[in-house]
Amino acid sequence: LAEAAGFDVEADCCQAPMPSSCGMISSPLLCGSKQCPYANECIASLAGYDSSQCTAPPPTCAVGDKDCEGEPANPYTCGPNKCAYKTVCDAQSAGFDLGADCCQDTRSNTACTADIASVSCGPPGGKQCSYSNQCLADSAGYNSNQCCNAVPDGIFCTADFKPVECGSIPCVYSNQCQADAAGAT
């Protein structure tokens, strides 16, 4: 069909994935010499690619037009591409709302262990910021009363939205599977 529509299959087309039960995880990849886009590794594998043939696309980060030279260093990471901005001015000039779109970065002079015990911090129902451990969250300005155990990477739960509230803080998870995975029950 592609050839009948005037496409050169080798030059213009990417392999479509076979039907599957891949999760709805968004972790975009570009695969093969044509840099074919796929939503995640599972879908790329169904199109015939293995992880050695795929790379994450480079993030696109907005740049503001305001001169923020001389502003105090106060680093934030903003947006779905986790764009790094050195100052509040830089982040806001790029169009980000600090409270809704950004997470405070950890201070570079903080001495924390490399232990991975991920936490998610922020107001219940509000923007949640993830840190590898509570020490790093503390250095970003949070305290243990503002953080909940995060769902570990690699855990697959259904996309059912049936919120559950756990603990005294309280910690809200999208469903019971996520609460269990975070060890919050």
Side-chain angles (χ1 to χ4, degrees):
L1 291 175
E3 289 171 335
F7 291 102
D8 177 342
V9 174
E10 290 301 314
D12 301 326
C13 300
C14 292
Q15 178 64 42
M18 301 301 292
S20 77
S21 59
C22 287
M24 297 297 292
I25 297 168
S26 178
S27 183
L29 294 172
L30 297 175
C31 302
S33 59
K34 290 188 275 184
Q35 297 291 285
C36 297
Y38 297 99
N40 59 47
E41 190 173 346
C42 177
I43 293 173
S45 71
L46 293 172
Y49 293 101
D50 64 48
S51 60
S52 69
Q53 298 171 292
C54 301
T55 59
T60 54
C61 297
V63 177
D65 55 7
K66 186 174 179 183
D67 180 10
C68 298
E69 189 70 31
E71 292 285 327
N74 193 4
Y76 277 86
T77 299
C78 303
N81 289 331
K82 299 186 185 312
C83 299
Y85 296 96
K86 294 179 183 177
T87 69
V88 169
C89 175
D90 289 324
Q92 290 175 330
S93 178
F96 290 103
D97 175 335
L98 292 183
D101 304 322
C102 303
C103 290
Q104 177 76 50
D105 284 354
T106 58
R107 302 291 180 227
S108 60
N109 60 354
T110 302
C112 292
T113 64
D115 296 337
I116 303 294
S118 298
V119 293
S120 180
C121 307
K127 169 73 175 150
Q128 297 294 301
C129 298
S130 297
Y131 300 94
S132 296
N133 58 46
Q134 187 63 51
C135 178
L136 292 172
D138 292 345
S139 76
Y142 292 100
N143 65 55
S144 61
N145 291 328
Q146 297 169 301
C147 300
C148 298
N149 292 341
V151 177
D153 288 339
I155 300 294
F156 296 100
C157 292
T158 62
D160 296 338
F161 186 69
K162 296 178 183 175
V164 294
E165 190 173 292
C166 306
S168 59
I169 295 178
C171 297
V172 178
Y173 298 93
S174 296
N175 56 45
Q176 189 64 51
C177 174
Q178 289 190 353
D180 292 343
T185 54

